[in-house]
Amino acid sequence: MTTSSSSTSQRTQVAIIGAGPSGLLLGQLLHRAGIANVVIEQRSPEYVLSRIRAGVLEQVTTDLLDEAGVGQRMHAEGLVHDGFELCFGGARHRIDLHRLTGGRTVMVYGQTEVTRDLMDARSAAGLPTVYEAEQVSLHDITTARPRVRYLKDGVVHEVQADFIAGCDGFHGVSRASIPADVLRCHERVYPFGWLGILADVPPVSDELIYSNHERGFALCSMRSKTRVRHYVQCSLDDKVEDWSDARFWDELRARLDPEAAARMVTGPSIEKSIAPLRSFVAEPMRYGQLFLSGDAAHIVPPTGAKGLNLAAADVRYLSHALAEHYVEKTNAGIDDYSRKALRRVWKAERFSWYLTSLLHRFPAGPGDSGDVGHRMQTAELDYLVHSEAAMTSLAENYVGLPFEA
Ligand code: APR
Ligand code: PHB
């Protein structure tokens, strides 16, 4: 590292932008492969941990966290779920993931905890992580010596790397650094949002409940046996202050079957927020020596619990490709990264769109009359829960499709 009074310059193999799950998991896997990396994050660790996100991990994600050496607490505190329930027409119907997928399950373990475990592992390994980096910018992306520049404590810092991993989320600088005539974006914005709360009360049921109700979608999820994460579909015009805790609990109860509603325990929210829903994919996921992973490249509506799992899948492909470059001296993996990652991304986008379309209340379409949309949904749900083939398809997508070799 070279230093002057107002600037520094350092060298690494992979510069990672973003210390969310994508960036930290990539950093951990690269470190274990002996590949030097620096993580550059614009926010503080506390801010990163304060963001409440999803909570269902595919088995391939838990396997990857084990490969990264950070799975211990997840296995100790996470909840293995063999199935979930669909609620419609005033009754619940179980989707037996374990039976339908030949033994596969999902792990309920909050993204905040995954991020915390990755942060702790990175800190324990003494790996370079820059928090509260300002004015992060990417340079010479299409050359063999790309650079990342950032401001910290009034000093301009420059990181020279072989590769840059853009793990900086939907609003990051990495995707924005790809020329507009190269980048192709595909987006669908949904006409509603999710109002979510976190509360220290026992779950409504042992497993997740996804509810299609004429009042709107609802989801009863959890973080542990004493902490719940529940959601109700709400209008995009709603503000969090429009929703008192009491209003939330009444609306959630109204969207559940009688037995679940009777079992629901209410309590004060410890977090309450509204999130919009969109399907978004940016192609390609590589430009020169810049590789996009996670939310930097794609967004899914949370209905299918795919956001974190897709980020982990990108990171799995990218970490293996970079290891092949450095260890096996082949670029086959990095040259195929975008194609391979996007193939999985689009299947998860399709599944997340399908489940969102099936479970939410949509405004009537231009040619609709009566309650045709809701009737079509309940007919599909009735078919689904009585068809082994349909439930198998739902289950194998929910637990996570196999990786391409
Ligand atoms: N410079 C440095 N860091 C940045 C910049 C920037 N210009 N812009 C954003 N970041 C940071 C953010 O502060 C955040 O900590 O990049 C990180 C991106 O993290 P996430 O948004 O969590 O994205 P990702 O790591 O891909 O994880 C995807 O998070 O949003 C959920 O549903 C999503 O579960 C999925 C997961
Ligand atoms: C959550 O627990 O936050 C969660 C679970 C399943 C989903 C979405 C969110 O499909």
Side-chain angles (χ1 to χ4, degrees), residues 50-185:
S50 69
R51 296 186 305 232
I52 304 301
R53 295 284 170 65
V56 172
L57 307 181
E58 296 173 0
Q59 214 158 314
V60 291
T61 301
T62 57
D63 293 347
L64 198 62
L65 292 170
D66 286 336
E67 184 183 326
V70 297
Q72 299 83 347
R73 194 162 70 98
M74 171 187 66
H75 291 295
E77 299 177 13
L79 303 172
V80 176
H81 280 203
D82 295 343
F84 63 84
E85 292 185 299
L86 292 172
C87 179
F88 64 96
R92 274 176 287 141
H93 305 263
R94 186 163 187 267
I95 303 297
D96 187 342
L97 298 172
H98 188 268
R99 178 182 67 80
L100 292 162
T101 63
R104 310 266 303 280
T105 58
V106 292
M107 172 77 79
V108 173
Y109 188 65
Q111 176 173 316
T112 302
E113 305 319 313
V114 172
T115 305
R116 193 190 315 278
D117 293 341
L118 287 163
M119 276 183 181
D120 292 347
R122 187 168 183 87
S123 173
L127 299 177
T129 311
V130 180
Y131 285 99
E132 298 177 286
E134 300 170 71
Q135 300 173 27
V136 178
S137 57
L138 280 57
H139 305 272
D140 300 334
I141 299 172
T142 57
T143 72
R145 284 280 176 271
R147 293 172 294 121
V148 178
R149 205 172 279 160
Y150 65 90
L151 185 68
K152 175 119 174 120
D153 303 328
V155 175
V156 174
H157 301 263
E158 182 168 282
V159 178
Q160 295 179 7
D162 300 329
F163 302 101
I164 300 175
C167 301
D168 47 349
F170 186 65
H171 302 288
V173 66
S174 298
R175 188 177 74 247
S177 301
I178 299 177
D181 62 344
V182 171
L183 201 63
R184 298 182 308 282
C185 294

Side-chain angles (χ1 to χ4, degrees), residues 345-366:
V345 164
W346 278 111
K347 288 177 181 173
E349 291 282 353
R350 190 250 2 133
F351 175 68
S352 304
W353 160 80
Y354 162 74
L355 221 43
T356 301
S357 304
L358 181 62
L359 296 172
H360 289 75
R361 189 113 185 107
F362 283 75

Side-chain angles (χ1 to χ4, degrees), residues 168-239:
D168 47 349
F170 186 65
H171 302 288
V173 66
S174 298
R175 188 177 74 247
S177 301
I178 299 177
D181 62 344
V182 171
L183 201 63
R184 298 182 308 282
C185 294
H186 313 274
E187 184 171 42
R188 171 168 291 167
V189 177
Y190 295 88
F192 40 74
W194 276 21
L195 168 65
I197 69 159
L198 209 55
D200 282 335
V201 295
V204 171
S205 174
D206 291 341
E207 297 177 328
L208 273 58
I209 302 174
Y210 292 81
S211 179
N212 171 299
H213 191 278
E214 58 190 9
R215 297 176 67 91
F217 169 80
L219 169 60
C220 295
S221 183
M222 62 194 79
R223 290 291 176 271
S224 69
K225 294 194 184 301
T226 59
R227 175 167 288 191
V228 298
R229 179 66 170 170
H230 295 325
Y231 301 92
V232 294
Q233 174 184 346
C234 67
S235 163
L236 283 175
D237 298 328
D238 282 357
K239 303 280 180 291

